[in-house]
Amino acid sequence: MSENGQPVLEFRGVNTHYGPVHVLKDVDIEIHAGEIVCLLGGNASGKTTTLKTILGMVTPTSGDIVLDGEIVSGAPTSRIVSAGVSMVPENRRLFKRMTVKENLEIGAYLRDPNDDLDADYERIYELFPRVKERLDQKAGTLSGGEQQMVAVGRALMARPKVLLMDEPSMGLAPVLVQQNFDIIETINEAGTTVFVVEQNAKMALSIADRGYVLMTGRIVLADTAEGLLANPEMRTAYLGEVED
Amino acid sequence: MAIVNAPETAASTQAARPITAVDWRRTVRMGLLGGLGMVFIAAIGMFEELDGRPMIVPILSLGYLTVFWVPFVAGYLAAKEETLEGLAPPQKGLRDPLAGLVAGLMGGLALWLLTAFMNAFEWRDVFLKLSPTLLELLTFGNDLGFAFLALVLGSGLLGMLGGALAVLPESGRRIVVGAIVTTFVVAILEVIFVDIFEGIGLEAVTDLVYDINGGLAWGSAIVVAILGGTLAAVSAGASERSRTRWTAMEPAPRRTASLAAFVIVALLTIFLPIILGGIVNELLANVGLFLLMGLGLNVVVGYAGLLDLGYVAFFAVGAYTTAVLTSPISPTLLGEDGSVVREEGLLTIDFFGWEGWAVLGAVLLVAAIAGIVVGTPVIRMRGDYLAIVTLGFGEIVRILFLSDWLAPVFGGAQGVRQIPSAGVEALDLVDLTITGVDPRSIFYFVAVFVAIAIYVSWRLSKSRIGRAWAAMREDETVAEAMGIDTVRAKLLAFIIGAMLASFGGMVFAVKVGSVFPKSFELLVSIIVLVVVIVGGMGNIAGVIVGALVLIGVLGGPTQPGVLQEFAEFKLLIYGALLVYMMLQRPEGLVPSLSRSRELHHEEMQQDAWLASAIEEDDDEEASI
């Protein structure tokens, strides 16, 4: 994808702290329109903090988050979401007791009430015809795969410039993981920029354009997906391959 | 061949279940529970206290009823066997009354043991209510031997009758239960019925039915029982049928039907009080008062999911604001030496002029500020922490009103008195002029505010903020990530809840005519919460039913209810009811759809591991 022009979302030397603990250390990330970018890393490497920082749930102590040319770090979550970021949380976390339709409505919570949302619903039904069949069903009664579709649909209702995905493979059966990544590819082909945070490096790199590797809060590797897949260090540390 | 035979084999195994054997475990359990219940009811003084209240003259007092319904129900429960899905229903037969008899005998024996204990030892220092009067009641004025026969055999007999009830077919049981319940309800609601019939001008009917000293005359008891049984027989299945019809209705006629129901209820609310007597009006006004608070708390707890245990604070704020503004002897208006210098308060509560509206505006404003003041520091807390902190705030507000420091404004322990009643003296309905102190005018005053509160709650539940609350209640973190400003949403819930409670406070001040710190104790918060929980959290109809059932029937913390006889045991009954509801029907009497789904969903998913295993199974099947 295009490396030129202004990134949609950019981390510029971001540092964050939880109290005295230094979590993110001088993190630089660039995400360009139309890309799938993945952030890889093990437990406690700072992946979730990265997402929370984008959404304004954690404020960086230094450095800037730039969304579409505008510095958004320090702004409240609601402003950042309406500026064009939305998230599919880890484990989907739908509002299980609400209907599918109500879940989608919450996704559009910050949209201008005068906006015509019908087009957005139609787009989601087109991507996921099964969602349409289940509109009046409680989200908690859906199968895992359908829930994932609703979670993605809910995030898309905000019409994001960048869609954040938190650990789409977490705690799922292999078939479902594959299904999830198929969903990501589908929505990316439909024009959404995606930022995936993932432990399962092999899976993530199979669909991503570029990837970053985060280790104890520092970006240690940044390359195209092919480059990372070929990197010997990656192969042993993250892709679980034994050196031959 | 084998396949064809399979169902027969299953049936024959079921038939092999012994049909005459008593389920001894169950029977003994019911007997012990029954005995415990009877001893408890006698020992807390309910028996003695209520013996003075006749139910059916001359044979039954309310005291005996409160004790001896226990072996009857225990007998029924001992005999009634759970019907398990997939198994043939248990055979009925002689074993059922037998089980009932045993359970009843055990209950009676427990009560006799209490009697013997009281006879042998003097333990009133510990158990205040084990009085000689109770001993006399339990022995029927005779010796222990007679008591043994009377209590044990009497309870046994009642247990056996209860067990026999389980043998009856469904329709027969309906009639018997209908007859019994109707008789006791008519007997216990004597005051209310007399009041209503007097209001319509039919005192002759109640004079005929009730004994001159209270209670049903035995002749009329029989008539009432027959009427009740007939009614039960006729109405069998009616509610089931109407529910089926309701669910089968198309949306359009259903809307028309609910509109019609709404109009009927509204008309009843307007015209019934004119007909009804003073007592019923007073009761309804109390119900309305707690309904106001219940609706407010429902916004906070039911919609937004914030457990606020200090809710009474806002009620107090509304009441005190009204008092200070309208009482001529409000402490701020007194002269230097404490003398009364003014004839009127700062403002009057006259809603036909501007002053009443000014008071209302001030009350709402002060309540909103109080909502912000209490809400802001606690808003970032979740769950238990929020509950504890709000509880503390509730007490702080009450103590502030009580304090000497603020006594120059709020009058300390003396409170503020002489709050004028609402200016509805001018209200002319048909040719009936209602004066300010008439319970009817108070009722209308309350009803108007309740109507406003219902409308506001209803609009909120359908609104954008209502959706935000629902999302927040389910998953606060995700709601926040979706861009919902949870701090704002919570604060808004607090403010709206505070304003609705302040309505209640204003109505309370006007209705009672004086406010004291003592009226705003923690108990009020708890009772309002119980109203919301028992009625059905998050549901307006539920809160209405909850207020009617709890405040109307049992009474509020200081307000009497229909069952005035039980006033002393009110909190005990509240507690028992709450425990029962939590165990058997946690979604409340009138559950909101989503709330009952929530609870039952959790029930199904209690074993999260199992749930996820099933879920993944499904997925794999689906994707293959």
Side-chain angles (χ1 to χ4, degrees):
Chain A
M1 298 279 154
S2 78
E3 288 288 327
N4 8 315
Q6 187 188 26
V8 190
L9 184 68
E10 189 183 1
F11 275 60
R12 287 186 192 152
V14 170
N15 284 281
T16 62
H17 290 76
Y18 284 137
V21 184
H22 197 172
V23 187
L24 295 185
K25 297 157 189 160
D26 296 316
V27 170
D28 289 292
I29 296 174
E30 276 185 18
I31 300 160
H32 293 267
E35 277 188 314
I36 298 179
V37 175
C38 64
L39 179 67
L40 307 172
N43 286 324
S45 57
K47 299 190 306 288
T48 305
T49 308
T50 309
L51 288 184
K52 284 189 169 174
T53 312
I54 299 175
L55 281 169
M57 296 162 108
V58 175
T59 311
T61 31
S62 70
D64 290 317
I65 312 278
V66 185
L67 177 66
D68 224 7
E70 190 192 352
I71 295 178
V72 292
S73 31
T77 307
S78 51
R79 247 209 69 211
I80 295 174
V81 174
S82 57
V85 179
S86 67
M87 176 163 80
V88 181
E90 184 181 328
N91 285 332
R92 310 178 289 262
R93 283 174 82 166
L94 291 182
F95 302 112
K96 292 192 177 175
R97 299 134 195 175
M98 297 188 188
T99 64
V100 169
K101 179 88 177 180
E102 284 165 339
N103 268 280
L104 296 179
E105 280 171 6
I106 292 284
Y109 182 75
L110 285 176
R111 297 276 299 278
D112 184 342
N114 301 322
D115 258 16
D116 184 18
L117 296 179
D118 289 347
D120 298 78
Y121 288 119
E122 280 311 318
R123 185 166 143 241
I124 286 159
Y125 302 155
E126 219 169 279
L127 281 170
F128 313 117
R130 279 174 73 178
V131 170
K132 191 175 184 179
E133 293 163 24
R134 305 259 188 257
L135 276 185
D136 295 320
Q137 226 168 303
K138 294 291 128 183
T141 64
L142 302 186
S143 77
E146 289 165 338
Q147 288 197 15
Q148 185 69 29
M149 294 175 195
V150 177
V152 172
R154 180 176 66 179
L156 286 178
M157 283 305 291
R159 242 189 228 177
K161 290 172 184 147
V162 182
L163 182 72
L164 312 179
M165 306 262 319
D166 194 3
E167 304 268 9
S169 76
M170 191 63 153
L172 293 179
V175 196
L176 261 191
V177 173
Q178 183 59 54
Q179 201 178 333
N180 271 352
F181 281 90
D182 290 346
I183 290 175
I184 298 173
E185 278 197 297
T186 316
I187 58 170
N188 178 248
E189 276 157 23
T192 311
T193 311
V194 185
F195 183 48
V196 188
V197 167
E198 184 53 75
Q199 280 201 41
N200 186 338
K202 206 174 188 173
M203 201 69 225
L205 289 173
S206 73
I207 58 159
D209 300 300
R210 292 186 303 111
Y212 293 85
V213 178
L214 194 63
M215 201 187 247
T216 57
R218 214 179 278 282
I219 299 282
V220 290
L221 276 174
D223 204 345
T224 59
E226 295 77 27
L228 285 176
L229 279 168
N231 188 318
E233 220 179 301
M234 273 299 290
R235 293 176 72 101
T236 47
Y238 291 98
L239 300 173
E241 284 179 22
V242 186
E243 275 178 287
D244 24 36
Chain B
M1 231 12 224
I3 295 165
V4 179
N5 276 337
E8 278 173 33
T9 335
S12 59
T13 11
Q14 275 167 10
R17 285 170 82 204
I19 52 165
T20 46
V22 171
D23 183 350
W24 289 112
R25 277 175 73 97
R26 192 181 167 87
T27 307
V28 168
R29 196 190 316 142
M30 287 305 158
L32 285 175
L33 274 177
L36 205 66
M38 288 164 83
V39 168
F40 181 76
I41 289 169
I44 60 169
M46 220 188 236
F47 189 8
E48 183 188 337
E49 187 80 24
L50 301 178
D51 186 52
R53 166 76 160 84
M55 291 286 283
I56 298 172
V57 183
I59 46 172
L60 186 65
S61 80
L62 187 55
Y64 280 95
L65 183 63
T66 52
V67 175
F68 287 102
W69 68 273
V70 177
F72 183 77
V73 171
Y76 172 70
L77 290 177
K80 189 184 142 211
E81 205 169 291
E82 302 290 328
T83 321
L84 294 174
E85 210 176 310
L87 288 181
Q91 298 277 340
K92 291 175 176 176
L94 207 58
R95 62 174 196 118
D96 295 321
L98 184 63
L101 175 70
V102 173
L105 287 175
M106 287 179 65
L109 189 65
L111 198 58
W112 181 76
L113 287 175
L114 175 76
T115 318
F117 176 83
M118 285 171 66
N119 197 37
F121 305 101
E122 172 63 45
W123 263 42
R124 286 187 74 187
D125 294 340
V126 188
F127 297 108
L128 279 180
K129 302 283 185 177
L130 297 183
S131 65
T133 327
L134 178 62
L135 185 59
E136 205 184 311
L137 278 172
L138 284 172
T139 54
F140 301 88
N142 267 300
D143 60 0
L144 265 187
F146 181 82
F148 182 82
L149 285 180
L151 292 178
V152 176
L153 292 185
S155 300
L157 186 67
L158 285 167
M160 196 167 79
L161 288 174
L165 190 62
V167 187
L168 282 181
E170 177 69 36
S171 55
R173 191 161 44 208
R174 250 191 96 83
I175 295 173
V176 175
V177 172
I180 295 175
V181 169
T182 316
T183 315
F184 289 145
V185 165
V186 171
I188 209 163
L189 295 186
E190 183 176 344
V191 180
I192 304 304
F193 278 117
V194 169
D195 189 61
I196 292 175
F197 278 83
E198 256 173 31
I200 329 175
L202 290 173
E203 298 97 310
V205 176
T206 47
D207 284 353
L208 190 72
V209 172
Y210 293 108
D211 189 83
I212 219 158
N213 298 316
L216 281 174
W218 66 269
S220 41
I222 292 175
V223 176
V224 170
I226 291 172
L227 279 176
T230 320
L231 205 66
V234 172
S235 68
S239 72
E240 191 59 36
R241 273 199 303 277
S242 56
R243 188 169 313 139
T244 340
R245 255 184 67 192
W246 175 254
T247 42
M249 249 185 216
E250 296 287 314
R254 186 186 293 187
R255 233 187 330 257
T256 326
S258 20
L259 191 69
F262 175 77
V263 170
I264 291 172
V265 171
L267 286 178
L268 282 181
T269 317
I270 293 171
F271 290 109
L272 264 189
I274 302 176
I275 305 168
L276 296 176
I279 297 176
V280 178
N281 271 302
E282 168 73 21
L283 285 176
L284 286 176
N286 283 336
V287 170
L289 187 63
F290 277 84
L291 184 50
L292 272 177
M293 284 194 279
L295 287 167
L297 190 61
N298 183 45
V299 170
V300 184
V301 181
Y303 291 174
L306 308 166
L307 184 52
D308 182 353
L309 292 182
Y311 194 62
V312 68
F314 304 125
F315 179 57
V317 165
Y320 266 99
T321 309
T322 314
V324 167
L325 286 178
T326 61
S327 165
I329 59 162
S330 146
T332 46
L333 297 182
L334 296 179
E336 293 277 316
D337 54 346
S339 60
V340 180
V341 290
R342 287 174 62 126
E343 295 228 321
E344 280 201 331
L346 291 172
L347 297 165
T348 58
I349 285 239
D350 178 5
F351 284 97
F352 295 101
W354 62 272
E355 291 191 348
W357 299 103
V359 174
L360 179 63
V363 165
L364 289 179
L365 185 70
V366 174
I369 293 171
I372 295 170
V373 169
V374 175
T376 311
V378 304
I379 222 83
R380 285 176 196 283
M381 301 181 178
R382 292 186 183 188
D384 312 357
Y385 301 102
L386 181 76
I388 296 294
V389 174
T390 50
L391 187 132
F393 265 107
E395 282 298 280
I396 289 172
V397 168
R398 184 180 64 85
I399 290 168
L400 280 179
F401 283 130
L402 182 65
S403 67
D404 287 340
W405 177 51
L406 289 175
V409 188
F410 300 120
Q414 271 79 48
V416 184
R417 280 164 296 127
Q418 288 190 25
I419 301 160
S421 55
V424 279
E425 279 110 312
L427 192 59
D428 247 312
L429 275 170
V430 204
D431 58 345
L432 180 103
T433 311
I434 291 171
T435 59
V437 285
D438 188 316
R440 269 172 276 211
S441 78
I442 303 282
F443 172 83
Y444 284 120
F445 184 60
V446 176
V448 168
F449 283 98
V450 168
I452 297 173
I454 289 178
Y455 180 74
V456 169
S457 304
W458 176 68
R459 293 295 304 175
L460 281 174
S461 70
K462 304 271 172 234
S463 71
R464 198 171 115 92
I465 185 75
R467 247 182 295 150
W469 282 333
M472 195 173 77
R473 200 179 65 208
E474 277 206 31
D475 192 330
E476 198 174 326
T477 316
V478 176
E480 204 181 336
M482 293 291 121
I484 292 168
D485 187 340
T486 52
V487 170
R488 214 185 113 240
K490 284 184 185 180
L491 204 54
L492 205 59
F494 258 95
I495 294 172
I496 293 171
M499 287 165 98
L500 289 177
S502 73
F503 268 6
M506 180 170 113
V507 171
F508 174 81
V510 170
K511 178 173 173 292
V512 179
S514 51
V515 292
F516 310 102
K518 241 191 122 23
S519 312
F520 307 106
E521 290 188 330
L522 173 64
L523 187 59
V524 179
S525 296
I526 305 287
I527 298 250
V528 175
L529 187 63
V530 175
V531 164
V532 175
I533 291 174
V534 168
M537 245 192 269
N539 187 6
I540 299 170
V543 181
I544 297 175
V545 171
L548 278 172
V549 169
L550 290 176
I551 307 302
V553 177
L554 285 172
T558 52
Q559 294 79 359
V562 169
L563 297 181
Q564 285 164 28
E565 290 86 356
F566 288 95
E568 204 184 318
F569 309 101
K570 190 154 49 189
L571 292 181
L572 178 75
I573 300 173
Y574 263 94
L577 192 63
L578 190 60
V579 171
Y580 174 81
M581 291 294 291
M582 287 298 96
L583 289 174
Q584 296 296 326
R585 213 181 146 89
E587 65 268 40
L589 292 171
V590 187
S592 79
L593 276 181
S594 66
R595 193 50 84 146
S596 75
R597 243 181 270 118
E598 264 165 53
L599 289 157
H600 291 286
H601 184 80
E602 263 153 32
E603 227 163 70
M604 288 187 308
Q605 307 246 318
Q606 256 166 8
D607 196 338
W609 177 80
L610 187 65
S612 67
I614 293 168
E615 203 169 77
E616 271 164 34
D617 259 12
D618 284 359
D619 292 334
E620 267 149 19
E621 274 166 38
S623 33
I624 287 165

